[in-house]
Amino acid sequence: MTACTGTAPPEQPTTDPGTTTSSAASAEGTFIFGTGAAPAGLDPALVADAETYRVTLQVMEGLVGVDPMTSAPAPLLAKSWTELNEGRSYSFKLREDVTFHDGTAFNAAAVCANFDRWYTLPPEARKASSATPFKTVFGGFADTPEISNYEKCTASSEFTVRIDLSHRFTGFIPAMSMPGFAIASPKALKELSADKPVFKLQGSKISRYAQQPVGTGPYTFTSWKDDKVVLDAYPDYWGQQGDVQHVVFRAIRDSNARLRALQEGAIDGYDMISVSTVAELARSGKQILQRDPYSVLYLGMNQKFPGLEDKKMRQAIAHAIDKDAVRNGAFLNGTKTAATFIPPKLAIDDEGLPTYNHDPEKARRLLEEAGYKGEPLPFYYPRNVARPYLPAPEKIYAELSRQLTAVGLNIQPVPIDWSDGYLARVQESGDRAIHLLGWNGSYQDPDNFVGPLFGSYSEEFGFSDSQLFSKIDRARTLQDGDERQTAYQDINDQIANVIPAVPLVFPISALAVSEQVQSYPVSPVLHEVFNKIELR
């Protein structure tokens, strides 16, 4: 992979269907998809990145899948599961007709090898992301057993596996549908040194395995060169083969360039439709497929930056923002402004929360009370990327910067290309004051939003609130019902009081596909596997 340094993996023989036109491609069973960015690596256990997951969902599968109609948990590599020990254990019955792409057997031992790998990840491997899936769900690793909810994985029989937890986690089964819990070939993990990141990519290091993953999914990895990933159908796949036999992902960072590529037949579909291209897509007769909102865009604030440890400064920034003006013209119709970080789909009541309505006069007064004297505030924002929560970063930055400057804040723009390690730059210690980022949910549970963002200390926000952390830990253990609903309302209230970040909008995201596509498996949690695509 040319973006990496170090010893390159061996070349793999491959054809290059990425140069065919859309109509010819569809006829040959090839689907070419335009993405807003290249993957951050192809080991889903070590990242929290939508473009990584888009690829690895085709190659790797977890125990639990996602129902395409409801987004509820559904059987995948596990045929069924049983809750035991008052929610502190789960037993999974596994499929018996599955092989990994390298020919090795899928069984309970392979599942436990993956859980044991996640639990014992060495610190050098965890540095790839501050929000590794295992940490966000289980809290800690083997070197911090006192804060980890994971205890052990046991192969009860060849095709029965048991997972033991230290305490109930109500969202455990939905969480197992996250792409980060996909089961990899233990043989490939070992042979490709999955836990030894030695290749540089986008500001982080990745391993050899992260360049050529091996799973049980409908497609096998073929090649990754520059901004193009190629996959081919796995002939021995246990499930539906589908119409698409070859998949090509092409990173096309500009929304207008993605539109032109679709119109010219160079791709069959693309994601993150921008407001500026909707009308042209409609005029050209392309299909526009909309997802229910399941992500949140926020303005993060670094409390380790001088001045921002003062709550009045953070309150002033919140009151300076006109969320309606941020939304209008930058997001698709249906996008709602956000008062919390939990999307409406999860039905957590936000009545009575502390509100930070747009009030420039109050913002100026708070700045004066905080003793702000016009010191520069570095504002980090990404360029040359589109995310489900951030379709037009430069435009959104410009509007926010205008609003913040209007109340007297001295905003210092710090644009960073996404491919130059933007994500790492805003999630580690640094000199930023504020930054743009968001979170896209991957399973249906409120913990999927507040847990990864605010469940423990992170360098991204530079704040520590042991009471909030404890409330989030407790809410995870409560059974569905009024008590759990009240617990998350209380969490929302405390986040609003602490203000580590300002929630801006719950964006509507959409993709476009050519007339060659008869149906596409649209999913609000982006669980879109291409063997479910039907071609004309």
Side-chain angles (χ1 to χ4, degrees), residues 453-501:
L453 292 173
F454 309 117
S456 62
Y457 175 81
S458 74
E459 292 291 351
E460 180 179 356
F461 306 113
F463 90 109
S464 187
D465 186 329
S466 58
Q467 186 183 58
L468 175 60
F469 300 161
S470 294
K471 287 181 178 180
I472 291 174
D473 279 343
R474 175 179 175 271
R476 292 156 57 95
T477 69
L478 300 175
Q479 297 189 49
D480 287 327
D482 291 344
E483 186 180 6
R484 196 167 197 251
Q485 174 83 203
T486 301
Y488 280 107
Q489 289 171 346
D490 186 36
I491 288 166
N492 279 341
D493 183 84
Q494 185 145 345
I495 292 171
N497 273 301
V498 175
I499 328 176

Side-chain angles (χ1 to χ4, degrees), residues 265-278:
I267 60 176
D268 294 287
Y270 74 87
D271 206 350
M272 273 77 81
I273 293 174
S274 67
V275 171
S276 62
T277 60
V278 169

